[in-house]
Amino acid sequence: MRWHRLRRRWAGATDDSPVAKGEGFVTSGRRRSPGEEHKGLDAKLLAQFLRRWASVISLGAIGVGVLTLVVSLVITPIYEVSTSILVTGGGVSGTSRSSYDYLMASQQLTRTYAELLRKRPLLEEVIARLQLPTPPEKLFNRVKVQPVPQSQIIVISIRDANAESAATIINEIVTVLIEQNRELIATGSIPVGQGVLVVEPAAPSATPVSPSPLRNAVLAAVLSAFLITGAAYIKEALEDKVKSVEEAEATTGAAVLGVIGQVAGAGRPEGVASIAAGRSSAAYRLLQTRVEIAAGGDPAQALLLTSSGPLDGTSTTAASLAVALAQSGKRVILVDANPRRPALHALFHLSNSRGLTTALQESASAISYLTSTSVGDLWLVPSGPLPSRLTELLRAPRMAALIAEWKEQSDIVLLDTPALLAASDAALLAQVCDTALLVVRAETTGAESLKTAHDLLAQSKARVLGMVLNRSRSTRKAFTGEFYAASPALKSSPQALKLGEAPGASSTHVG
């Protein structure tokens, strides 16, 4: 029901979402209706769920199957032996009425003999003759007596670990019954001619009826696969974490502009330099292109980056995107607007003694707070020391004035801000920015938290361009027609047709 819950969230997406507008999605040159997309979304979520758990399900099923096979092979086999007897007598056939009476009497007699076969005196005699180490009650439970419907035949069977012993017991039961029947005839208790005949004597069976190792192993493997799948499904449904592009888009109705894998170099001494030269640089260059396309004819002069919760990778994403923009020839100013948890100065190996907080409390020119970095055309504004009244400073007109001045001195200003649900800072800063990006950490960010954060961001003056799925295990998804249809600006942009040609990027691999 995880995908059904996500489907409902998609149906309740914001009015700007493609589903809410009824625009559908474009795939292979044909526009799909919202109903078709719902079915496609369910199938994709199910397929991704099975891919995530395929190894656990398969290994668990194989393990249980092998264990069951071994146990079945070492368990003592059980054999079933049976015999058939025919009940004779019951009357003499005559007219049609007497024939009916004869048939009813014969069937009644058959049921009577079937009951006699399971009576205690008979079983005690069998135990005494064969010297069986078992009480009559246990033998009673082992012996199965079944009259064949519409006939005078009775099938007697027993199960035992020893096939020969089982055959001996069955044959002795029939022998005792015949002898007791003769005694009754001799005393005149029953008429002559009434009795039983052995149709098929019991013989030892060479094939055990249980266990069946192969059948047990297959059934155990199939059952364990279903149980593991169900447990995994319940686990994911309870966790409710966003794990894929489809889940993120279904939760918010916004497009995912980039998928970033595990970033090598983040947090290490070489910092951004390692990220810029690493394998993830292609993903950030592709993200840069998609951000520009999503902005359309309204360039993103002040772009705010935030997330729903802390430690989602917003700072690394902001720094890496800034590097990609600067390397493309744009003049970029990166602002660390998170004095509560400053990180950008460490990534660029710069001092944090002076920065945004000092600029907010002083009246000097905004340019004087820019610090050059090792990346050309990229300047950093560190967060500065944490003041006692940060919220008041961010709300003051000085903040808007600083951003306005920095926008005049650059092509784009990027703001790394705190998590939306952790503090009000990001919501305040969104009021003075043009656009915003929401960073989502795969398998960590909760769907409800993401939806709440997106709704808070959508209420600000900043236009939400989309999301970045960060630290994703699978970065192989190709963003082709489905990505462009997620934004009206992308549909009309001629650049969208060449999105896969972004420098250093692949149309089929991100990250």
Side-chain angles (χ1 to χ4, degrees):
M1 289 162 290
R2 177 182 177 83
W3 28 88
H4 295 304
R5 183 171 63 252
L6 292 171
R7 177 176 173 178
R8 289 195 298 271
R9 287 194 188 124
W10 182 275
T14 60
D15 293 338
D16 293 332
S17 68
V19 171
K21 292 184 176 182
E23 294 170 345
F25 278 69
V26 178
T27 303
S28 303
R30 183 180 71 84
R31 188 183 304 278
R32 291 192 290 174
S33 67
E36 290 176 318
E37 179 55 32
H38 284 166
K39 294 179 181 178
L41 177 63
D42 289 347
K44 288 177 182 177
L45 293 174
L46 176 59
Q48 289 175 353
F49 167 79
L50 293 177
R51 280 198 301 270
R52 284 194 299 270
W53 290 95
S55 59
V56 176
I57 294 172
S58 58
L59 289 176
I62 292 172
V64 172
V66 171
L67 180 61
T68 304
L69 179 62
V70 172
V71 172
S72 298
L73 290 174
V74 300
I75 288 179
T76 302
I78 301 297
Y79 299 89
E80 184 176 75
V81 178
S82 63
T83 185
S84 299
I85 60 174
L86 174 65
V87 179
T88 61
V92 180
S93 178
T95 63
S96 60
R97 175 62 183 171
S98 62
S99 297
Y100 172 78
D101 293 340
Y102 173 81
L103 178 61
M104 296 301 295
S106 297
Q107 291 184 359
Q108 180 63 38
L109 185 62
T110 301
R111 290 193 291 271
T112 300
Y113 274 101
E115 288 297 322
L116 290 174
L117 284 165
R118 289 164 61 87
K119 291 302 180 181
R120 187 182 187 90
L122 187 146
L123 296 178
E124 287 179 341
E125 180 66 23
V126 172
I127 292 172
R129 290 187 181 187
L130 299 178
Q131 297 181 349
L132 300 176
T134 180
E137 293 79 10
K138 288 190 176 181
L139 184 58
F140 174 87
N141 293 330
R142 290 169 56 194
V143 176
K144 181 179 180 182
V145 179
Q146 183 65 46
V148 178
Q150 306 301 321
S151 74
Q152 294 173 244
I153 295 176
I154 301 174
V155 178
I156 313 165
S157 60
I158 189 172
R159 290 190 175 190
D160 196 276
N162 189 314
E164 293 183 359
S165 174
T168 301
I169 293 173
I170 287 294
N171 288 329
E172 191 64 29
I173 289 175
V174 175
T175 299
V176 172
L177 176 64
I178 293 174
E179 291 179 356
Q180 290 180 351
N181 188 79
R182 288 173 182 170
E183 293 176 0
L184 292 174
I185 292 176
T187 59
S189 299
I190 59 175
V192 177
Q194 179 176 309
V196 294
L197 298 175
V198 178
V199 177
E200 182 182 8
S205 174
T207 305
V209 293
S210 69
S212 177
L214 184 59
R215 181 188 63 186
N216 292 348
V218 172
L219 290 177
V222 172
L223 179 60
S224 62
F226 277 108
L227 290 176
I228 294 172
T229 302
Y233 179 78
I234 294 173
K235 179 180 182 295
E236 290 205 356
L238 292 176
E239 285 183 349
D240 200 23
K241 303 299 183 184
V242 175
K243 295 180 174 63
S244 66
V245 171
E246 287 79 11
E247 291 180 8
E249 292 181 340
T251 301
T252 63
V256 172
L257 304 184
V259 179
I260 311 298
Q262 297 291 336
V263 178
R268 297 210 303 256
E270 51 268 37
V272 174
S274 175
I275 297 173
R279 190 177 61 176
S280 298
S281 60
Y284 286 112
R285 287 196 293 270
L286 192 55
L287 172 61
Q288 167 214 336
T289 304
R290 289 168 177 164
V291 168
E292 292 173 350
I293 293 173
D298 186 14
Q301 288 187 309
L303 175 62
L304 177 141
L305 285 88
T306 186
S307 63
S308 62
L311 305 178
D312 284 349
T314 306
S315 298
T316 302
T317 302
S320 303
L321 180 58
V323 170
L325 287 164
Q327 290 177 340
S328 69
K330 295 186 181 298
R331 295 173 301 162
V332 182
I333 295 177
L334 177 60
V335 181
D336 191 339
N338 188 4
R340 304 179 195 275
R341 297 178 64 94
L344 296 181
H345 70 282
L347 283 174
F348 288 92
H349 306 293
L350 297 174
S351 171
N352 193 39
S353 59
R354 188 170 182 268
L356 177 63
T357 55
T358 51
L360 289 171
Q361 299 175 82
E362 299 173 357
S363 58
S365 171
I367 302 176
S368 63
Y369 299 97
L370 301 180
T371 304
S372 60
T373 67
S374 58
V375 181
D377 292 329
L378 173 59
W379 291 267
L380 175 68
V381 179
S383 68
L386 178 63
S388 58
R389 48 190 185 93
L390 177 61
T391 302
E392 296 179 15
L393 294 174
L394 294 177
R395 190 181 283 114
R398 172 67 171 168
M399 185 70 231
L402 289 171
I403 292 180
E405 191 171 346
W406 285 328
K407 286 166 62 174
E408 292 178 358
Q409 302 298 323
S410 64
D411 296 312
I412 184 170
V413 178
L414 270 65
L415 282 82
D416 173 26
T417 65
L420 276 161
L421 304 185
S424 61
D425 303 359
L428 292 173
L429 291 169
Q431 303 298 325
V432 294
C433 292
D434 306 304
T435 52
L437 270 181
L438 193 56
V439 178
V440 182
R441 182 171 178 176
E443 303 186 28
T444 300
T445 301
E448 294 298 334
S449 298
L450 177 60
K451 182 67 167 63
T452 302
H454 177 270
D455 291 345
L456 287 174
L457 198 57
Q459 295 170 8
S460 67
K461 294 182 180 179
R463 179 162 57 96
V464 182
L465 297 181
M467 298 175 291
V468 180
L469 187 63
N470 196 29
R471 301 188 184 182
S472 174
R473 293 185 183 182
S474 176
T475 56
R476 295 177 295 175
K477 176 177 176 63
F479 291 79
T480 52
E482 293 185 5
F483 165 73
Y484 307 128
S487 170
L490 298 182
K491 296 181 200 175
S492 59
S493 173
Q495 301 176 63
L497 299 177
K498 298 182 179 181
L499 182 58
E501 301 175 5
S506 169
S507 60
T508 59
H509 182 82
V510 181

